[in-house]
Amino acid sequence: MTSVDHGTAYDIAGKGVASCESLREAVIMAEEIIKNRLNYFIKSKFS
């Protein structure tokens, strides 16, 4: 499981200064984990 690396950020809410980069990186990491698990499953099942 992945998650963004910040808390609730109430101190910056509504100020337009938050970054979505952490969420983007979490999604990319989740995609890589899924690909690796599928590759492992395919290799172990059919080899």
Side-chain angles (χ1 to χ4, degrees):
M1 174 177 272
T2 64
S3 65
V4 294
D5 62 356
H6 57 72
T8 56
Y10 289 125
D11 57 325
I12 63 170
K15 295 180 181 176
V17 296
S19 172
C20 65
E21 190 61 27
S22 178
L23 176 61
R24 181 181 172 280
E25 291 296 325
V27 170
I28 291 170
M29 182 178 286
E31 181 182 26
E32 291 175 7
I33 290 169
I34 291 168
K35 285 179 183 178
N36 287 335
R37 288 183 181 181
L38 286 173
N39 284 337
Y40 176 80
F41 173 77
I42 289 169
K43 287 178 182 176
S44 65
K45 188 77 171 175
F46 300 107
S47 58

